[in-house]
Amino acid sequence: MSSVLNTSNGVPVHGLFIDGHAVAATRADLLDVINPATGVLLAQISHASDADVDRAVQSAATAFESAEWSTMSNRTRAKLVNKLADVFEANLEEIYHLETLNNGRSLNETRAQVSRLPDFLRYNAGLAIARRDSVIPVDGNYLNYTLRTPIGVVGNSTPFNHPLMIMMKSLAPTLASGCTTVVKPSEYTPLTTLRLAALFVEAGLPPGVFNVITGLGPTSGKALSEHRGLAKWVLTGGTEAGRITGALAGANFAHQTLELGGKTPVLVFDDFDVDQAVNYAAFGAFIGAGQTCICGSRQIVQEKVYDEFVEKLAAKAKSIRIGNPIDPMIQLGPVVSARQQQRVLNYIRIGLEEDGARLVAGGRIPADPALANGFFVEPTVFADVTADMRIFQEEVFGPFVSVTKFGTEAEGIALANNSPFGLAGAIRTNDITRAHRVAARLKCGIVWINDHHRLDPASPWGGVKDSGIGRECGTESFDQHFETKSVMVRLDDAPFDWYKDTAAQPRLN
């Protein structure tokens, strides 16, 4: 099974994936999918119209109500979700290469990340079996218990930076809870999402449970977010996109999980090994070409080790091997598009011309002519950055990191919290009491102590402030896919007549 409708000059043309098979969109225009490392056309995708989006949501709604899906027992559903994990694992080699070609992340990074994704399915399958409804002690001779029922159709808009990983954070609890979904991947990176949907239907997932529509955010994405058939809206993307689509979904009182922008502060204290701090900084800032919401883009370093840290981070950045990510020796691939490349280059200009920060590494397009057709930017490090600078406050979303000096612990915490974002933060220290003390004071949803970018299917993931609402992963995410119904049973056979003896019947009514 495939999402490919036909080929044009040897290039596959993908349809929408609705009700278990590829379908043509009602719009005639196609969108190009480009290999960001070479600029070569990889595929073309359909551009879903409002009518196409409605068709996909109706398919998901029909599947949600179908006897095959709605009456499936928790254990049978868990067994199916575990089977999907096995199918995913059996096709990893194909998916590694397709994901790398499509989003430009190095093959080694893709292997490390995507190989973990079947765990999301298995973890949520376990929750489906382990879940229990509550019996609640209440006043009087009553039995009060709860029933949880799946909420319905989940709309999910995923970004270009981690196409499968971010989708899987929502897809796994959606399927394990008994909901259905319509996913709109980024127009830049739709190929692995379309492939996985086809693989899952081949493996026995009922048609309509997992639908994929492709298109642009302002058209197809907007139509999905505002569709009245959605019970839940999930978006990972920029803060402005979250505001727009969140308002649209909110008009229909849809549940929401929004994982938005970030500007992660990393507090490096002078009791921590500088070489290790630099290694973590390079990993945190340049993994995925810096295109992560949790990019360690603000290194806030205590003054005693500041100069040494800057010198060593600059040298580390210059040593990173840049090139075509399909080569396993390459450590840094391109950003996803020419537009994203220009965004990063513009922030380099801002850092130099407007902010007056000190560029100590990178700041250019690589000189290698073999990379000229791709969307590459050198790993870039700015030093002597202050809190009033734009490159300290604004999300760049590229291989770009700033370094800021601090003195006391209180000053470091104030700098870390001086941001409209609050997704993640990190601490580098060997002082265990300081580590926990500072972690409690950082205004964010995720904190790493002496680590970075660590995620697990069981660990809640999400932010505060302009970084969004709700949580992915863990029981928190799984539980958000249910409505809770309270059932109150009177166990007393005594006659009831409110209007005959009101005073003797105290109650909260």
Side-chain angles (χ1 to χ4, degrees), residues 10 68 131 159 174 181 239 256 271 343 396 423 428 472 509:
E68 182 180 14
R131 59 168 269 208
T174 294
T181 191
T239 297
Q256 295 192 42
D271 66 333
R343 176 183 173 88
V396 177
L423 182 56
R428 311 282 181 251
E472 297 176 299
N509 64 322

Side-chain angles (χ1 to χ4, degrees), residues 34-36 102-104 160-161 188-189 291 334-338 340-341 375:
I34 303 295
N35 181 334
N102 198 176
N103 84 333
F160 61 75
N161 54 341
Y188 294 115
T189 55
Q291 298 172 114
V335 294
V336 77
S337 66
Q340 198 64 25
Q341 183 189 49
F375 311 127

